[in-house]
């Protein structure tokens, strides 16, 4: 290997060792340098990059960000080695200071992250002054990898302990049995209610904020006559259950970024009536502890024209950390990115001047309504040559509900299918049919019609900037 190549490799080893040490110190108190850099990346990269990561990494976007940051950090350290000696030390110190500063912006911030970034900067500048030879380089790399693994274990433990503390908050909902929709068990067909473990997670953080249920109060502030501070128990007293589907604006045809749950929430009309918005208030800004905001027009929330809830429970339990504990705002029918924040810190009554997180990045200012979508979960052919194929799935058209689902085989006519009983108009609805298929390869597509008369659009469209379009189509071998 060339002399330069060796120098870069040994500097990369120093980078891994230094970052690993810093991350382990940060993680000893639940903080993280890597998550700080990852969040800063999510906040600043162009929307085109966000779209590409979401499309390619899918449900693994958080891991992709974490390992991407790690690789970039190591590469940056290697890059520092190529700089002239006199700028290496200041660059290494600036790198550490930057990582420390970014980690203090996280909801799970900790002074240990600042200490960790100082140690990382110190090790990096020392190690780069005289990059180690092959043997010691290997040692730096091995220790760095070990310390990262240790940090990951500590952070997972902190997350698990938080989850247990959340569980002890007690039930949030009546635990009434879920009614039978008449379609029974069909292998592979999504259940009526999505369990927490199967429910998609989408947000800009590497891991959920750990919010102390005892300390947390919902604040209603801004242009109100009565500012309010309410505890979880006070909110639970006024809450009611409702069934609804939550859909991410990135849910392209057939994807899994949608889930149907039984939520427990306080109607926002009640809270707004208590708080008494002043005449200048036009927007309800939902602000999260992660600094993320989503604002909603006040008028339709106040009048109840848009049913909207401050949600504190999911499937009978407190909101799990990754789904927004202790509270989130949800307007069934609006895409997740427009429906209100998870990890809610406050509701602020404001005028039109506030600009939301994704609006600053190019997404439309006005809330986007979920477009009706049908998803094919099952295409099960029976014994070979029988010709029978069961096709089943779920469809949604919140808030008005699904009036019909049709499937089409090989671009022929649309055929209506059997619908399961409706749980609620804003919930998803299951469907199933059995079709005869001649031997060979076929395509099956599905589409839904909403009760308001909207037929699912067949034109494929990317999620940005108005929400995805297109049909779910699968290939079946009969
Ligand atoms: N605080 C906060 N709330 C948030 C987000 C976020 O990044 N931060 N992401 C939104 C998006 S894009 C979606 S799709 C939903 C996802 O909710 P879920 O993870 O419970 O499925 O949360 C919304 N609320
Ligand atoms: Mo989303």
């Amino acid at each position: 290997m060339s002399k330069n190549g060796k120098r870069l490799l040994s500097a990369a080893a120093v980078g891994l060792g230094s970052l690993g040490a810093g991350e382990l110190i940060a993680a000893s108190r639940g903080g993280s340098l890597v998550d700080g850099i990852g969040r800063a990346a999510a906040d600043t990269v162009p929307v085109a990059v966000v779209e590409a990561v979401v499309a390619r990494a899918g449900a693994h976007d958080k891991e992709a960000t974490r390992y991407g940051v790690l690789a970039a950090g190591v590469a940056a350290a290697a890059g520092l080695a190529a700089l002239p000696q006199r700028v290496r030390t200041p660059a290494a110190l600036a790198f550490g200071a930057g990582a420390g500063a970014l980690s203090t912006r996280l909801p799970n911030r900790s002074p240990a992250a600042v200490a960790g970034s100082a140690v990382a900067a110190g090790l990096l500048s020392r190690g780069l002054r005289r990059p180690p030879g092959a043997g010691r380089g290997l040692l730096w790399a091995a220790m760095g990898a070990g310390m990262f693994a240790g940090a990951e274990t500590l952070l997972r433990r902190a997350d698990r302990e938080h989850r247990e503390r959340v569980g002890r908050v007690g039930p949030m909902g009546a635990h009434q049995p879920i009614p039978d929709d008449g379609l029974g068990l069909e292998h592979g067909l999504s259940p009526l209610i999505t369990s927490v473990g199967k429910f998609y997670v989408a947000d800009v953080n590497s891991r959920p904020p750990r919010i102390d249920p005892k300390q947390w109060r919902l604040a209603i502030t801004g242009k109100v006559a009565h500012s309010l501070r309410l505890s979880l128990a006070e909110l639970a007293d006024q809450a009611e259950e409702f069934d609804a589907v939550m859909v991410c604006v990135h849910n392209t045809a057939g994807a899994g970024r949608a889930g149907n749950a039984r939520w427990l929430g306080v109607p926002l009309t009640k809270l707004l009536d208590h708080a008494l918005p002043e005449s200048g208030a036009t927007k309800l800004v939902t602000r999260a502890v992660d600094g993320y905001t989503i604002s909603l027009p006040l008028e339709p929330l106040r009048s109840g024209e848009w049913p909207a809830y401050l949600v504190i429970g999911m499937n009978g339990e407190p909101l799990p950390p990754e789904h927004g504990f202790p509270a989130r705002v949800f307007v069934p029918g609006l895409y997740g990115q427009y429906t209100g924040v998870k990890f809610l810190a406050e509701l602020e009554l404001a005028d039109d001047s506030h600009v939301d997180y994704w609006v600053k990045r190019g997404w439309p200012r006005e809330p986007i309504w979920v477009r009706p979508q049908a998803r094919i979960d099952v295409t099960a052919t029976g014994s070979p040559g029988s010709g029978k194929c069961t096709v089943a799935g779920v469809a949604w058209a919140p808030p008005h509900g699904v009036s019909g689902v049709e499937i089409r085989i090989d671009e022929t006519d649309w055929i209506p299918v059997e619908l399961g009983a409706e749980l609620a108009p804003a919930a998803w609805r299951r469907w199933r049919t059995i079709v005869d298929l001649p031997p060979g390869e076929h395509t099956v597509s599905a589409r839904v019609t909403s009760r308001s008369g909207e037929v699912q659009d067949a034109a494929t469209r990317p999620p940005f900037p108005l929400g995805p379009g297109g049909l779910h189509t699968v290939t079946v071998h009969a």
Side-chain angles (χ1 to χ4, degrees):
M1 190 186 290
S2 74
K3 198 161 157 251
N4 260 340
K6 274 190 191 146
R7 200 173 61 179
L8 285 184
L9 261 190
S10 93
V14 168
L16 188 58
S18 314
L19 251 172
E23 184 72 352
L24 184 60
I25 294 169
S28 69
R29 288 292 155 81
S32 167
L33 302 179
V34 171
D35 291 357
I37 303 170
R39 174 60 199 272
D43 290 350
T44 47
V45 296
V47 156
V49 175
V50 177
E51 295 306 293
V53 170
V54 171
R56 299 219 165 71
H60 301 289
D61 55 347
K62 293 185 195 305
E63 282 103 316
T65 307
R66 222 175 138 67
Y67 287 103
V69 166
L70 185 50
V74 170
L80 290 184
L83 294 175
Q85 181 76 290
R86 69 193 148 75
V87 288
R88 257 184 241 166
T89 300
L93 296 179
F95 182 76
L102 293 175
S103 68
T104 62
R105 294 172 61 234
L106 291 176
N108 297 334
R109 70 183 73 81
S110 141
V114 176
S117 64
V119 168
L123 285 173
L124 191 60
S125 70
R126 271 198 61 165
L128 290 181
R129 214 170 294 148
R130 237 169 9 96
R136 281 192 43 237
L138 212 59
L139 197 66
W140 275 89
M143 289 190 49
M147 288 187 287
F148 264 111
E152 188 63 34
T153 306
L154 289 176
L155 291 172
R156 288 217 182 124
R157 190 167 74 192
D159 289 342
R160 197 175 56 239
E161 283 168 2
H162 176 57
R163 176 179 299 280
E164 286 161 9
R165 180 168 62 164
V166 166
R168 288 194 293 273
V169 168
M172 285 280 183
H175 281 276
Q176 298 278 8
I178 306 300
D180 180 6
D181 71 350
L183 290 192
L185 281 178
E186 177 69 56
H187 184 72
L189 175 59
S190 301
L192 260 183
I193 296 287
T194 313
S195 63
V196 162
K198 294 268 164 62
F199 203 105
Y200 81 99
V201 176
D203 59 72
V204 294
N205 309 294
S206 285
R207 55 189 89 241
R210 304 179 202 104
I211 301 169
D212 181 353
K214 294 209 174 78
Q215 303 289 322
W216 182 84
R217 294 290 179 277
L218 167 71
I220 306 184
T221 63
K223 297 180 182 298
V224 287
H226 295 153
S227 51
L228 296 177
R229 280 174 67 76
L230 298 164
S231 69
L232 260 182
E234 286 165 324
L235 289 166
D237 284 343
Q238 314 177 51
E240 51 194 66
E241 279 188 302
F242 64 99
D243 299 324
V245 61
M246 169 98 57
V247 188
C248 177
V249 73
H250 289 100
N251 196 66
T252 46
R257 286 181 168 245
N260 195 55
R262 174 156 291 180
W263 310 93
L264 179 75
V266 184
L268 276 188
T269 46
K270 278 196 198 172
L271 294 174
L272 291 171
D273 282 349
H274 288 312
L276 284 177
E278 287 167 352
S279 59
T282 54
K283 286 280 159 65
L284 179 73
V285 181
T286 69
R287 180 172 287 117
V289 301
D290 60 358
Y292 186 96
T293 65
I294 297 174
S295 42
L296 294 157
L298 182 58
E299 190 25 54
L301 299 182
R302 233 190 143 172
S303 66
E305 184 194 337
W306 295 3
Y309 299 87
L310 181 112
V311 170
I312 53 173
M314 184 177 182
N315 297 349
E317 300 300 326
L319 279 177
E322 67 277 20
H323 294 297
F325 183 83
R328 68 188 300 171
V329 169
F330 183 18
V331 183
L334 291 182
Y335 279 119
Q337 186 173 300
Y338 285 94
T339 206
V341 297
K342 309 194 278 189
F343 328 117
L344 188 67
E346 65 167 357
L347 296 177
E348 188 201 346
L349 279 295
D351 58 22
D352 287 335
S353 57
H354 178 82
V355 185
D356 288 328
Y357 183 94
W358 287 115
V359 174
K360 284 188 193 131
R361 315 278 294 281
W363 282 86
R365 201 179 249 273
E366 293 309 311
I368 307 180
W369 292 94
V370 173
R371 314 174 107 233
Q373 252 184 348
R375 184 174 79 201
I376 302 169
D377 286 342
V378 178
T379 49
T381 47
S383 49
S386 77
K388 298 272 180 242
C389 177
T390 300
V391 185
V394 288
W396 55 84
H400 304 293
V402 167
S403 65
V405 173
E406 298 158 290
I407 64 163
R408 182 173 65 176
I409 316 285
D410 300 328
E411 314 272 312
T412 54
D413 293 337
W414 287 100
I415 354 174
V417 303
E418 183 195 352
L419 294 178
E422 182 177 76
L423 195 54
W428 73 21
R429 195 161 177 180
R430 309 199 304 168
W431 56 269
R432 182 179 53 196
T433 193
I434 298 174
V435 286
D436 281 314
L437 290 183
E441 198 174 280
H442 305 277
T443 62
V444 182
S445 305
R447 74 174 183 193
V448 58
T449 302
S450 80
R451 205 167 272 134
S452 60
E454 186 179 354
V455 182
Q456 184 174 349
D457 185 4
T460 303
R461 240 183 19 181
F464 184 79
L466 293 171
L471 303 178
H472 189 202
T473 300
V474 300
T475 306
V476 185
H477 301 270

